[in-house]
mmCIF file with all atom_site columns, all heavy atoms in Angstrom:
data_model
loop_
_atom_site.group_PDB
_atom_site.id
_atom_site.type_symbol
_atom_site.label_atom_id
_atom_site.label_alt_id
_atom_site.label_comp_id
_atom_site.label_asym_id
_atom_site.label_entity_id
_atom_site.label_seq_id
_atom_site.pdbx_PDB_ins_code
_atom_site.Cartn_x
_atom_site.Cartn_y
_atom_site.Cartn_z
_atom_site.occupancy
_atom_site.B_iso_or_equiv
_atom_site.pdbx_formal_charge
_atom_site.auth_seq_id
_atom_site.auth_comp_id
_atom_site.auth_asym_id
_atom_site.auth_atom_id
_atom_site.pdbx_PDB_model_num
ATOM 1   N N   . SER A 1 78 ? 86.388 125.580 114.035 1.00 85.00 ? 461 SER A N   1
ATOM 2   C CA  . SER A 1 78 ? 85.853 125.013 112.789 1.00 85.00 ? 461 SER A CA  1
ATOM 3   C C   . SER A 1 78 ? 86.979 124.787 111.797 1.00 85.00 ? 461 SER A C   1
ATOM 4   O O   . SER A 1 78 ? 87.827 125.649 111.587 1.00 85.00 ? 461 SER A O   1
ATOM 5   C CB  . SER A 1 78 ? 84.812 125.959 112.183 1.00 85.00 ? 461 SER A CB  1
ATOM 6   O OG  . SER A 1 78 ? 83.682 126.051 113.007 1.00 85.00 ? 461 SER A OG  1
ATOM 7   N N   . GLY A 1 79 ? 86.993 123.629 111.195 1.00 83.00 ? 462 GLY A N   1
ATOM 8   C CA  . GLY A 1 79 ? 87.993 123.297 110.198 1.00 83.00 ? 462 GLY A CA  1
ATOM 9   C C   . GLY A 1 79 ? 89.174 122.538 110.748 1.00 83.00 ? 462 GLY A C   1
ATOM 10  O O   . GLY A 1 79 ? 89.820 121.779 110.021 1.00 83.00 ? 462 GLY A O   1
ATOM 11  N N   . PHE A 1 80 ? 89.472 122.699 112.038 1.00 87.00 ? 463 PHE A N   1
ATOM 12  C CA  . PHE A 1 80 ? 90.660 122.063 112.596 1.00 87.00 ? 463 PHE A CA  1
ATOM 13  C C   . PHE A 1 80 ? 90.366 121.215 113.830 1.00 87.00 ? 463 PHE A C   1
ATOM 14  O O   . PHE A 1 80 ? 91.269 120.615 114.392 1.00 87.00 ? 463 PHE A O   1
ATOM 15  C CB  . PHE A 1 80 ? 91.712 123.130 112.914 1.00 87.00 ? 463 PHE A CB  1
ATOM 16  C CG  . PHE A 1 80 ? 92.131 123.887 111.684 1.00 87.00 ? 463 PHE A CG  1
ATOM 17  C CD1 . PHE A 1 80 ? 91.637 125.150 111.428 1.00 87.00 ? 463 PHE A CD1 1
ATOM 18  C CD2 . PHE A 1 80 ? 92.971 123.311 110.755 1.00 87.00 ? 463 PHE A CD2 1
ATOM 19  C CE1 . PHE A 1 80 ? 91.992 125.843 110.278 1.00 87.00 ? 463 PHE A CE1 1
ATOM 20  C CE2 . PHE A 1 80 ? 93.332 123.989 109.600 1.00 87.00 ? 463 PHE A CE2 1
ATOM 21  C CZ  . PHE A 1 80 ? 92.844 125.251 109.354 1.00 87.00 ? 463 PHE A CZ  1
ATOM 22  N N   . SER A 1 81 ? 89.117 121.158 114.249 1.00 91.00 ? 464 SER A N   1
ATOM 23  C CA  . SER A 1 81 ? 88.685 120.251 115.305 1.00 91.00 ? 464 SER A CA  1
ATOM 24  C C   . SER A 1 81 ? 87.781 119.201 114.663 1.00 91.00 ? 464 SER A C   1
ATOM 25  O O   . SER A 1 81 ? 87.579 119.198 113.450 1.00 91.00 ? 464 SER A O   1
ATOM 26  C CB  . SER A 1 81 ? 87.943 121.016 116.400 1.00 91.00 ? 464 SER A CB  1
ATOM 27  O OG  . SER A 1 81 ? 86.782 121.636 115.871 1.00 91.00 ? 464 SER A OG  1
ATOM 28  N N   . VAL A 1 82 ? 87.249 118.317 115.473 1.00 96.00 ? 465 VAL A N   1
ATOM 29  C CA  . VAL A 1 82 ? 86.344 117.277 114.974 1.00 96.00 ? 465 VAL A CA  1
ATOM 30  C C   . VAL A 1 82 ? 84.913 117.780 115.103 1.00 96.00 ? 465 VAL A C   1
ATOM 31  O O   . VAL A 1 82 ? 84.487 118.145 116.205 1.00 96.00 ? 465 VAL A O   1
ATOM 32  C CB  . VAL A 1 82 ? 86.532 115.965 115.753 1.00 96.00 ? 465 VAL A CB  1
ATOM 33  C CG1 . VAL A 1 82 ? 85.545 114.906 115.268 1.00 96.00 ? 465 VAL A CG1 1
ATOM 34  C CG2 . VAL A 1 82 ? 87.968 115.453 115.606 1.00 96.00 ? 465 VAL A CG2 1
ATOM 35  N N   . PRO A 1 83 ? 84.147 117.844 114.016 1.00 96.00 ? 466 PRO A N   1
ATOM 36  C CA  . PRO A 1 83 ? 82.780 118.379 114.094 1.00 96.00 ? 466 PRO A CA  1
ATOM 37  C C   . PRO A 1 83 ? 81.862 117.489 114.914 1.00 96.00 ? 466 PRO A C   1
ATOM 38  O O   . PRO A 1 83 ? 82.092 116.283 115.044 1.00 96.00 ? 466 PRO A O   1
ATOM 39  C CB  . PRO A 1 83 ? 82.339 118.438 112.624 1.00 96.00 ? 466 PRO A CB  1
ATOM 40  C CG  . PRO A 1 83 ? 83.194 117.441 111.923 1.00 96.00 ? 466 PRO A CG  1
ATOM 41  C CD  . PRO A 1 83 ? 84.508 117.437 112.637 1.00 96.00 ? 466 PRO A CD  1
ATOM 42  N N   . GLU A 1 84 ? 80.810 118.097 115.442 1.00 97.00 ? 467 GLU A N   1
ATOM 43  C CA  . GLU A 1 84 ? 79.884 117.381 116.317 1.00 97.00 ? 467 GLU A CA  1
ATOM 44  C C   . GLU A 1 84 ? 79.257 116.177 115.622 1.00 97.00 ? 467 GLU A C   1
ATOM 45  O O   . GLU A 1 84 ? 79.033 115.140 116.255 1.00 97.00 ? 467 GLU A O   1
ATOM 46  C CB  . GLU A 1 84 ? 78.780 118.339 116.800 1.00 97.00 ? 467 GLU A CB  1
ATOM 47  C CG  . GLU A 1 84 ? 77.773 117.717 117.747 1.00 97.00 ? 467 GLU A CG  1
ATOM 48  C CD  . GLU A 1 84 ? 78.393 117.213 119.045 1.00 97.00 ? 467 GLU A CD  1
ATOM 49  O OE1 . GLU A 1 84 ? 79.447 117.744 119.449 1.00 97.00 ? 467 GLU A OE1 1
ATOM 50  O OE2 . GLU A 1 84 ? 77.818 116.282 119.649 1.00 97.00 ? 467 GLU A OE2 1
ATOM 51  N N   . VAL A 1 85 ? 78.986 116.279 114.336 1.00 97.00 ? 468 VAL A N   1
ATOM 52  C CA  . VAL A 1 85 ? 78.351 115.165 113.624 1.00 97.00 ? 468 VAL A CA  1
ATOM 53  C C   . VAL A 1 85 ? 79.237 113.927 113.627 1.00 97.00 ? 468 VAL A C   1
ATOM 54  O O   . VAL A 1 85 ? 78.741 112.790 113.541 1.00 97.00 ? 468 VAL A O   1
ATOM 55  C CB  . VAL A 1 85 ? 77.990 115.583 112.177 1.00 97.00 ? 468 VAL A CB  1
ATOM 56  C CG1 . VAL A 1 85 ? 79.235 115.686 111.295 1.00 97.00 ? 468 VAL A CG1 1
ATOM 57  C CG2 . VAL A 1 85 ? 76.948 114.647 111.576 1.00 97.00 ? 468 VAL A CG2 1
ATOM 58  N N   . VAL A 1 86 ? 80.561 114.113 113.763 1.00 97.00 ? 469 VAL A N   1
ATOM 59  C CA  . VAL A 1 86 ? 81.494 112.988 113.869 1.00 97.00 ? 469 VAL A CA  1
ATOM 60  C C   . VAL A 1 86 ? 81.685 112.592 115.326 1.00 97.00 ? 469 VAL A C   1
ATOM 61  O O   . VAL A 1 86 ? 81.756 111.401 115.653 1.00 97.00 ? 469 VAL A O   1
ATOM 62  C CB  . VAL A 1 86 ? 82.841 113.330 113.213 1.00 97.00 ? 469 VAL A CB  1
ATOM 63  C CG1 . VAL A 1 86 ? 83.839 112.180 113.359 1.00 97.00 ? 469 VAL A CG1 1
ATOM 64  C CG2 . VAL A 1 86 ? 82.645 113.652 111.732 1.00 97.00 ? 469 VAL A CG2 1
ATOM 65  N N   . ARG A 1 87 ? 81.736 113.580 116.236 1.00 96.00 ? 470 ARG A N   1
ATOM 66  C CA  . ARG A 1 87 ? 81.859 113.280 117.663 1.00 96.00 ? 470 ARG A CA  1
ATOM 67  C C   . ARG A 1 87 ? 80.708 112.389 118.136 1.00 96.00 ? 470 ARG A C   1
ATOM 68  O O   . ARG A 1 87 ? 80.872 111.556 119.021 1.00 96.00 ? 470 ARG A O   1
ATOM 69  C CB  . ARG A 1 87 ? 81.849 114.565 118.482 1.00 96.00 ? 470 ARG A CB  1
ATOM 70  C CG  . ARG A 1 87 ? 83.091 115.424 118.334 1.00 96.00 ? 470 ARG A CG  1
ATOM 71  C CD  . ARG A 1 87 ? 82.927 116.731 119.117 1.00 96.00 ? 470 ARG A CD  1
ATOM 72  N NE  . ARG A 1 87 ? 84.058 117.590 118.933 1.00 96.00 ? 470 ARG A NE  1
ATOM 73  C CZ  . ARG A 1 87 ? 85.169 117.547 119.664 1.00 96.00 ? 470 ARG A CZ  1
ATOM 74  N NH1 . ARG A 1 87 ? 85.262 116.647 120.628 1.00 96.00 ? 470 ARG A NH1 1
ATOM 75  N NH2 . ARG A 1 87 ? 86.169 118.361 119.437 1.00 96.00 ? 470 ARG A NH2 1
ATOM 76  N N   . GLN A 1 88 ? 79.528 112.591 117.555 1.00 96.00 ? 471 GLN A N   1
ATOM 77  C CA  . GLN A 1 88 ? 78.352 111.813 117.951 1.00 96.00 ? 471 GLN A CA  1
ATOM 78  C C   . GLN A 1 88 ? 78.525 110.322 117.700 1.00 96.00 ? 471 GLN A C   1
ATOM 79  O O   . GLN A 1 88 ? 77.802 109.511 118.281 1.00 96.00 ? 471 GLN A O   1
ATOM 80  C CB  . GLN A 1 88 ? 77.126 112.310 117.180 1.00 96.00 ? 471 GLN A CB  1
ATOM 81  C CG  . GLN A 1 88 ? 76.661 113.688 117.570 1.00 96.00 ? 471 GLN A CG  1
ATOM 82  C CD  . GLN A 1 88 ? 75.497 114.176 116.715 1.00 96.00 ? 471 GLN A CD  1
ATOM 83  O OE1 . GLN A 1 88 ? 74.617 114.860 117.198 1.00 96.00 ? 471 GLN A OE1 1
ATOM 84  N NE2 . GLN A 1 88 ? 75.493 113.829 115.444 1.00 96.00 ? 471 GLN A NE2 1
ATOM 85  N N   . LEU A 1 89 ? 79.463 109.960 116.859 1.00 97.00 ? 472 LEU A N   1
ATOM 86  C CA  . LEU A 1 89 ? 79.668 108.555 116.532 1.00 97.00 ? 472 LEU A CA  1
ATOM 87  C C   . LEU A 1 89 ? 80.459 107.811 117.595 1.00 97.00 ? 472 LEU A C   1
ATOM 88  O O   . LEU A 1 89 ? 80.444 106.578 117.633 1.00 97.00 ? 472 LEU A O   1
ATOM 89  C CB  . LEU A 1 89 ? 80.407 108.438 115.188 1.00 97.00 ? 472 LEU A CB  1
ATOM 90  C CG  . LEU A 1 89 ? 79.682 108.974 113.957 1.00 97.00 ? 472 LEU A CG  1
ATOM 91  C CD1 . LEU A 1 89 ? 80.630 108.996 112.758 1.00 97.00 ? 472 LEU A CD1 1
ATOM 92  C CD2 . LEU A 1 89 ? 78.453 108.116 113.639 1.00 97.00 ? 472 LEU A CD2 1
ATOM 93  N N   . VAL A 1 90 ? 81.176 108.547 118.446 1.00 96.00 ? 473 VAL A N   1
ATOM 94  C CA  . VAL A 1 90 ? 82.045 107.907 119.434 1.00 96.00 ? 473 VAL A CA  1
ATOM 95  C C   . VAL A 1 90 ? 81.236 106.996 120.354 1.00 96.00 ? 473 VAL A C   1
ATOM 96  O O   . VAL A 1 90 ? 80.260 107.413 120.970 1.00 96.00 ? 473 VAL A O   1
ATOM 97  C CB  . VAL A 1 90 ? 82.799 108.964 120.270 1.00 96.00 ? 473 VAL A CB  1
ATOM 98  C CG1 . VAL A 1 90 ? 83.614 108.292 121.373 1.00 96.00 ? 473 VAL A CG1 1
ATOM 99  C CG2 . VAL A 1 90 ? 83.709 109.795 119.390 1.00 96.00 ? 473 VAL A CG2 1
ATOM 100 N N   . GLY A 1 91 ? 81.630 105.734 120.433 1.00 96.00 ? 474 GLY A N   1
ATOM 101 C CA  . GLY A 1 91 ? 80.982 104.784 121.316 1.00 96.00 ? 474 GLY A CA  1
ATOM 102 C C   . GLY A 1 91 ? 79.752 104.111 120.758 1.00 96.00 ? 474 GLY A C   1
ATOM 103 O O   . GLY A 1 91 ? 79.227 103.178 121.367 1.00 96.00 ? 474 GLY A O   1
ATOM 104 N N   . VAL A 1 92 ? 79.278 104.562 119.613 1.00 97.00 ? 475 VAL A N   1
ATOM 105 C CA  . VAL A 1 92 ? 78.108 103.936 118.995 1.00 97.00 ? 475 VAL A CA  1
ATOM 106 C C   . VAL A 1 92 ? 78.497 102.566 118.456 1.00 97.00 ? 475 VAL A C   1
ATOM 107 O O   . VAL A 1 92 ? 79.606 102.371 117.951 1.00 97.00 ? 475 VAL A O   1
ATOM 108 C CB  . VAL A 1 92 ? 77.548 104.826 117.865 1.00 97.00 ? 475 VAL A CB  1
ATOM 109 C CG1 . VAL A 1 92 ? 76.470 104.105 117.081 1.00 97.00 ? 475 VAL A CG1 1
ATOM 110 C CG2 . VAL A 1 92 ? 77.002 106.119 118.445 1.00 97.00 ? 475 VAL A CG2 1
ATOM 111 N N   . GLU A 1 93 ? 77.609 101.610 118.563 1.00 97.00 ? 476 GLU A N   1
ATOM 112 C CA  . GLU A 1 93 ? 77.853 100.276 118.021 1.00 97.00 ? 476 GLU A CA  1
ATOM 113 C C   . GLU A 1 93 ? 77.207 100.149 116.651 1.00 97.00 ? 476 GLU A C   1
ATOM 114 O O   . GLU A 1 93 ? 75.994 100.339 116.503 1.00 97.00 ? 476 GLU A O   1
ATOM 115 C CB  . GLU A 1 93 ? 77.320 99.200  118.964 1.00 97.00 ? 476 GLU A CB  1
ATOM 116 C CG  . GLU A 1 93 ? 77.680 97.788  118.502 1.00 97.00 ? 476 GLU A CG  1
ATOM 117 C CD  . GLU A 1 93 ? 77.281 96.728  119.502 1.00 97.00 ? 476 GLU A CD  1
ATOM 118 O OE1 . GLU A 1 93 ? 77.436 96.971  120.726 1.00 97.00 ? 476 GLU A OE1 1
ATOM 119 O OE2 . GLU A 1 93 ? 76.801 95.665  119.075 1.00 97.00 ? 476 GLU A OE2 1
ATOM 120 N N   . ILE A 1 94 ? 78.003 99.851  115.650 1.00 96.00 ? 477 ILE A N   1
ATOM 121 C CA  . ILE A 1 94 ? 77.523 99.696  114.276 1.00 96.00 ? 477 ILE A CA  1
ATOM 122 C C   . ILE A 1 94 ? 78.015 98.359  113.749 1.00 96.00 ? 477 ILE A C   1
ATOM 123 O O   . ILE A 1 94 ? 79.216 98.074  113.775 1.00 96.00 ? 477 ILE A O   1
ATOM 124 C CB  . ILE A 1 94 ? 78.036 100.829 113.367 1.00 96.00 ? 477 ILE A CB  1
ATOM 125 C CG1 . ILE A 1 94 ? 77.612 102.201 113.912 1.00 96.00 ? 477 ILE A CG1 1
ATOM 126 C CG2 . ILE A 1 94 ? 77.506 100.655 111.947 1.00 96.00 ? 477 ILE A CG2 1
ATOM 127 C CD1 . ILE A 1 94 ? 78.132 103.371 113.091 1.00 96.00 ? 477 ILE A CD1 1
ATOM 128 N N   . ALA A 1 95 ? 77.090 97.536  113.282 1.00 94.00 ? 478 ALA A N   1
ATOM 129 C CA  . ALA A 1 95 ? 77.429 96.219  112.739 1.00 94.00 ? 478 ALA A CA  1
ATOM 130 C C   . ALA A 1 95 ? 78.271 95.426  113.732 1.00 94.00 ? 478 ALA A C   1
ATOM 131 O O   . ALA A 1 95 ? 79.187 94.695  113.352 1.00 94.00 ? 478 ALA A O   1
ATOM 132 C CB  . ALA A 1 95 ? 78.154 96.366  111.406 1.00 94.00 ? 478 ALA A CB  1
ATOM 133 N N   . GLY A 1 96 ? 77.962 95.550  115.026 1.00 95.00 ? 479 GLY A N   1
ATOM 134 C CA  . GLY A 1 96 ? 78.677 94.806  116.046 1.00 95.00 ? 479 GLY A CA  1
ATOM 135 C C   . GLY A 1 96 ? 80.033 95.364  116.407 1.00 95.00 ? 479 GLY A C   1
ATOM 136 O O   . GLY A 1 96 ? 80.777 94.739  117.164 1.00 95.00 ? 479 GLY A O   1
ATOM 137 N N   . LEU A 1 97 ? 80.377 96.553  115.909 1.00 96.00 ? 480 LEU A N   1
ATOM 138 C CA  . LEU A 1 97 ? 81.671 97.164  116.173 1.00 96.00 ? 480 LEU A CA  1
ATOM 139 C C   . LEU A 1 97 ? 81.474 98.491  116.910 1.00 96.00 ? 480 LEU A C   1
ATOM 140 O O   . LEU A 1 97 ? 80.575 99.257  116.573 1.00 96.00 ? 480 LEU A O   1
ATOM 141 C CB  . LEU A 1 97 ? 82.422 97.418  114.861 1.00 96.00 ? 480 LEU A CB  1
ATOM 142 C CG  . LEU A 1 97 ? 82.734 96.196  114.003 1.00 96.00 ? 480 LEU A CG  1
ATOM 143 C CD1 . LEU A 1 97 ? 83.230 96.627  112.629 1.00 96.00 ? 480 LEU A CD1 1
ATOM 144 C CD2 . LEU A 1 97 ? 83.766 95.301  114.685 1.00 96.00 ? 480 LEU A CD2 1
ATOM 145 N N   . GLU A 1 98 ? 82.314 98.755  117.895 1.00 97.00 ? 481 GLU A N   1
ATOM 146 C CA  . GLU A 1 98 ? 82.262 100.028 118.611 1.00 97.00 ? 481 GLU A CA  1
ATOM 147 C C   . GLU A 1 98 ? 83.077 101.066 117.843 1.00 97.00 ? 481 GLU A C   1
ATOM 148 O O   . GLU A 1 98 ? 84.234 100.823 117.487 1.00 97.00 ? 481 GLU A O   1
ATOM 149 C CB  . GLU A 1 98 ? 82.829 99.878  120.020 1.00 97.00 ? 481 GLU A CB  1
ATOM 150 C CG  . GLU A 1 98 ? 82.805 101.180 120.809 1.00 97.00 ? 481 GLU A CG  1
ATOM 151 C CD  . GLU A 1 98 ? 83.526 101.073 122.143 1.00 97.00 ? 481 GLU A CD  1
ATOM 152 O OE1 . GLU A 1 98 ? 83.970 99.964  122.506 1.00 97.00 ? 481 GLU A OE1 1
ATOM 153 O OE2 . GLU A 1 98 ? 83.651 102.116 122.807 1.00 97.00 ? 481 GLU A OE2 1
ATOM 154 N N   . VAL A 1 99 ? 82.497 102.227 117.602 1.00 97.00 ? 482 VAL A N   1
ATOM 155 C CA  . VAL A 1 99 ? 83.175 103.267 116.833 1.00 97.00 ? 482 VAL A CA  1
ATOM 156 C C   . VAL A 1 99 ? 84.155 104.035 117.711 1.00 97.00 ? 482 VAL A C   1
ATOM 157 O O   . VAL A 1 99 ? 83.811 104.491 118.804 1.00 97.00 ? 482 VAL A O   1
ATOM 158 C CB  . VAL A 1 99 ? 82.166 104.241 116.202 1.00 97.00 ? 482 VAL A CB  1
ATOM 159 C CG1 . VAL A 1 99 ? 82.902 105.393 115.486 1.00 97.00 ? 482 VAL A CG1 1
ATOM 160 C CG2 . VAL A 1 99 ? 81.258 103.513 115.209 1.00 97.00 ? 482 VAL A CG2 1
#
Side-chain angles (χ1 to χ4, degrees):
S461 294
F463 299 102
S464 61
V465 178
E467 181 62 26
V468 73
V469 178
R470 290 176 183 273
Q471 291 176 144
L472 297 171
V473 175
V475 172
E476 186 174 321
I477 303 178
L480 300 169
E481 180 187 355
V482 176

